[in-house]
Amino acid sequence: MASLNEVLDGKSICICAGSGGVGKTTTSAAIATGMAAQGLKVCVLTIDPAKRLADSLGLEELGNEARRVDPALIEEQGVEMKGELWAMMLDAKATFDELIARQAPDEESRDRVLNNRIYQQISSALAGSQEYMAMEKLFELHTEGEFDLLVLDTPPTRNALDFLDAPKRLTQFIEGKSLRVFMKPTGLAAKVTGRGVSVMLSVFKKIVGFDLIADLAEFFNAFSGMVDGFQARAKRVNKLLADPETCFLVVCGPQGEPIDEAVYFHRKLVEAKLPFGGVIVNKVHYPADELEAEVDDLPAALAEKLGDPNLAKRVADNFADYQALAERDARNIDHLAGELRTSCVIRVPYLDEDVHDLHGLTEIDRYLFATAEERVEMAAGRA
Amino acid sequence: MIVTGKGGVGKTTVAVALGLRAASEGKRTIVCEVSSQENASRMFEHTAVGFHEVEMEENLWSISIDPDESMREYVLLQLKVRAMRDMLFRSRIFNYLAAATPGLKELVTIGKIWELAQLDRKVKSGRKYDLVIVDAPATGHGVGFLQTPRTFASIARVGPIHSQAQTLDRFITDHRNTGTAIVALPEEMPVNESMALEKDLRDEVGVAVDRVYLNGLYPERFKKEEAAKLSQLVENENGATRAAARAGLSEFGRARSQRQQLARLKRGVEAPVKTLPFLFEPELDVEAARRLAGRLS
């Protein structure tokens, strides 16, 4: 069984991916904290951390700029901080605006784009723009080379795969190849196919309202000088994602549905030839290790020790419930490991305390960065 | 009834439970999914239903609302001529425009929900439903999703879609007919997000938040004194007794911290909070949802 340290060895980018509600943000923050503690300069890029996570990192709020987490706060948890931990919260709209400012040939074209209503919609609302900007920021930080390791918490997409297609979809949109030709009234295409197209546009206008088309035309005009720059950049972003120094970790939960999604997501990563590193399963119910010493009549044995048959029965029933969950988790994870054919499956136990602060993160790190044997040993002490 | 909340909190289970409840009261009910993941039909161990209204049980129907299919249906209702619609959809430009128009997919999805809720259905052979339950996209997407009609009405200032978008916005914000339920988990971050979500739904979208469901609440199986006894057992014993005592302590700890989150949630939201028990079951199937339905009075 490979450990997380082996998987991340020599990597400069770690992307945590998975469906919503499986603890991606927490896992990303915990990985960043752990790697920083070992001596690296690490930045975790997150999308939407709960306010208290920002609080607990000692940061008033996370802006679109990287902020350093006070090492004293981590050392308070009994962890020696040999490196540096930085965090930033991505603001998709601000990142998009910065990108436009960089790509625009002059101020006038920049403002034309920034003030266009279609642009304002896509920069904040279009599906995929958040994902695209997350990767854009990642690319920017990587190019600047300030950090040894960047950990990206991918946006909570409805579908974990959206973000893989996002750059392509967005550049296609901006290129608008099929549309722009027809929007130039003097273009050759307009002469050849003019009537069919104008029928099409008039039907579309009838449905969505006239000014939308005009806005789109204006948008493409304003963007026309930037298309090449966008394409070139998207290509470099894609190259970076496929680089051997990048590592994708799939994060999931132990229930059937998240496991199925992890399997599906892994398949898509492989198809896209992206470097898969391993899978992290959160909130796993570990089976009780002491079962080797199983007793025939647990309620009776408990009643004897507790001197309370009623309590003993409830303890035994509760134990049976927990064991059933542990068996389910073990079954699901075996299935997952088989499907993924990976040696790196890291099980983080369901901790008794809710994880939402630095204390919780360092707890998680004890499991994340342990070897498989150490994890079993640690978890055996708990339910 | 729009069921919303953060990812992974059990929205589908709650949506199905609400559906089972209403169906058992004799209401003709449909559960709509918008994520094309078919989680609801899967719970009934039914094959994928797609963009069709399929009966799962007596009075309970299911549909997976695909935006492309909704768009086709909408355009047909507008143009009335199937051949013309098909010509339009074969056109690359039309498809591009449809994909490029911000929010159009969400708009036609809400449009379909509206259509399902009409007493006088627009589609042929459509029968009326007493209750339409929407398994909405996760928080973040959810608020944006419900805001689409208003955003759209302001972008397209004229034309049929402008008035359609206004109709949809009025439909969503009509407190007599449309309500929302938020599903939360008894943990720090989901509780925070639910409080923020209620505020956004109320202030930004203008919908009524009828109820917050706190899902997955552990039972309080042990009292404090009993937990102390279990701690002693963990210290002094070995083997299965120790493991069982440890499991008991875990349960006690989780149940207690969840009660704190429940109290925080109740203080932080205006809508009444209803708790749903954690089900110690390997997989949440339709029987599990049925048990939850029994708790939804």
Side-chain angles (χ1 to χ4, degrees), chain A residues 13-287:
Chain A
I13 290 178
C14 167
I15 300 174
C16 296
S19 47
V22 294
K24 266 194 317 251
T25 302
T26 306
T27 302
S28 311
I31 289 174
T33 309
M35 294 304 281
Q38 293 179 34
L40 298 185
K41 185 174 177 187
V42 187
C43 184
V44 53
L45 289 80
T46 188
I47 299 293
D48 185 23
K51 178 92 174 69
R52 241 176 103 170
L53 188 67
D55 283 351
S56 61
L57 290 173
L59 301 165
E60 279 288 308
E61 52 183 12
L62 295 169
N64 211 28
E65 297 282 312
R67 305 254 181 99
R68 184 163 179 197
V69 178
D70 184 356
L73 293 174
I74 295 158
E75 303 215 320
E76 272 171 26
Q77 303 301 327
V79 175
E80 192 192 346
M81 178 48 83
K82 293 182 188 151
E84 290 179 25
L85 176 62
W86 293 67
M88 86 187 282
M89 184 170 144
L90 283 165
D91 179 337
K93 171 121 183 61
T95 307
F96 212 148
D97 290 353
E98 283 168 22
L99 184 62
I100 296 296
R102 248 199 321 270
Q103 300 280 339
D106 51 62
E107 275 183 32
E108 197 208 324
S109 349
R110 181 197 66 194
D111 294 344
R112 262 174 76 204
V113 172
L114 294 184
N115 294 327
N116 181 274
R117 266 189 308 163
I118 297 291
Y119 169 75
Q120 286 166 1
Q121 283 292 314
I122 66 162
S123 61
S124 53
L126 186 76
S129 62
Q130 233 193 9
E131 290 82 353
Y132 183 59
M133 287 308 126
M135 286 191 269
E136 180 56 43
K137 198 77 198 176
L138 190 74
F139 178 72
E140 188 192 314
L141 287 172
H142 184 261
T143 311
E144 286 169 6
E146 284 279 313
F147 297 97
D148 302 320
L149 177 67
L150 297 165
V151 182
L152 175 70
D153 165 29
T154 58
T157 44
R158 204 182 303 170
N159 182 333
L161 304 170
D162 282 358
F163 92 97
L164 287 179
D165 300 332
K168 206 172 83 197
R169 264 187 292 145
L170 204 72
T171 22
Q172 274 173 354
F173 175 80
I174 289 163
E175 285 169 31
K177 272 187 193 145
S178 53
L179 191 62
R180 278 197 296 149
V181 186
F182 300 106
M183 288 191 131
K184 284 185 203 144
T186 54
L188 177 67
K191 283 180 195 144
V192 180
T193 55
R195 270 186 59 205
V197 171
S198 63
V199 168
M200 201 71 68
L201 288 181
S202 76
V203 173
F204 198 80
K205 276 176 204 169
K206 190 180 153 197
I207 294 168
V208 300
F210 176 82
D211 50 356
L212 188 65
I213 305 272
D215 276 354
L216 271 171
E218 165 65 22
F219 173 79
F220 290 122
N221 277 333
F223 240 99
S224 56
M226 287 183 239
V227 171
D228 291 345
F230 257 86
Q231 283 170 331
R233 216 172 154 85
K235 245 183 218 147
R236 279 153 70 202
V237 170
N238 281 337
K239 209 174 147 210
L240 177 66
L241 292 182
D243 193 282
E245 272 188 36
T246 300
C247 165
F248 279 83
L249 294 176
V250 175
V251 184
C252 67
Q255 299 86 3
E257 207 184 296
I259 293 271
D260 288 345
E261 281 176 29
V263 169
Y264 183 57
F265 190 50
H266 168 261
R267 196 165 68 225
K268 289 288 162 185
L269 280 178
V270 172
E271 278 170 19
K273 297 194 168 56
L274 294 173
F276 166 74
V279 58
I280 294 169
V281 192
N282 281 327
K283 289 197 169 183
V284 177
H285 299 84
Y286 272 71

Side-chain angles (χ1 to χ4, degrees), chain A residues 20-21 26 48 50-53 117-118 121-122 126-127 131 156-159 172-179 182-183 197 199-201 203-213 215-216 220 255-257 260-261 283 285 288 290-291 293-295 298 301-302 305-308 310-311 314-319 321-322 324-325 328 331-332 350-352 354-356 380-383, chain B residues 6-9 12 34-35 37 39 42 71 74-75 78-79 84 87-88 91-94 96-104 106 137-139 141 145 151-152 154-162 185-190 192-193 218 221-223 226 229-230 233 237-254 257-258 261 264 278-283:
Chain A
T26 306
D48 185 23
K51 178 92 174 69
R52 241 176 103 170
L53 188 67
R117 266 189 308 163
I118 297 291
Q121 283 292 314
I122 66 162
L126 186 76
E131 290 82 353
T157 44
R158 204 182 303 170
N159 182 333
Q172 274 173 354
F173 175 80
I174 289 163
E175 285 169 31
K177 272 187 193 145
S178 53
L179 191 62
F182 300 106
M183 288 191 131
V197 171
V199 168
M200 201 71 68
L201 288 181
V203 173
F204 198 80
K205 276 176 204 169
K206 190 180 153 197
I207 294 168
V208 300
F210 176 82
D211 50 356
L212 188 65
I213 305 272
D215 276 354
L216 271 171
F220 290 122
Q255 299 86 3
E257 207 184 296
D260 288 345
E261 281 176 29
K283 289 197 169 183
H285 299 84
E290 293 101 323
L291 268 196
E294 204 165 352
V295 286
L298 184 62
L302 281 166
K305 305 284 182 202
L306 289 164
D308 180 346
N310 174 286
L311 173 61
R314 279 180 287 135
V315 173
D317 288 349
N318 179 67
F319 185 50
D321 280 342
Y322 269 60
L325 291 180
R328 172 203 68 182
R331 234 184 359 257
N332 285 344
Y350 191 152
L351 301 176
D352 290 348
D354 194 15
V355 177
H356 56 259
R382 50 182 322 116
Chain B
K6 177 182 150 78
V9 296
T12 305
V34 296
S35 60
Q37 288 182 331
N39 292 328
R42 199 146 48 134
M71 185 73 192
Y74 173 76
V75 171
Q78 291 293 311
L79 297 177
M84 197 163 165
M87 185 197 84
L88 207 56
S91 142
R92 266 172 58 211
I93 305 164
F94 179 83
Y96 181 83
L97 279 175
T101 309
L104 191 59
E106 287 81 359
T139 319
H141 289 293
F145 174 72
T151 315
F152 221 95
S154 71
I155 299 182
R157 275 173 251 117
V158 292
I161 223 163
H162 173 73
L185 286 180
E187 293 167 26
E188 179 81 16
M189 297 193 213
N192 290 352
E193 288 191 39
Y218 271 68
R221 286 175 164 170
F222 307 105
K223 293 198 198 76
E226 293 172 336
K229 278 187 176 177
L230 294 179
L233 230 55
E237 294 297 320
N238 279 311
T241 27
R242 180 171 183 272
R246 193 166 264 291
L249 274 181
S250 277
E251 210 283 333
F252 174 74
R254 288 177 203 174
S257 90
Q258 290 190 350
Q261 296 298 341
R264 217 162 59 81
F278 178 83
L279 300 175
F280 287 94
E281 280 165 38
E283 296 303 335

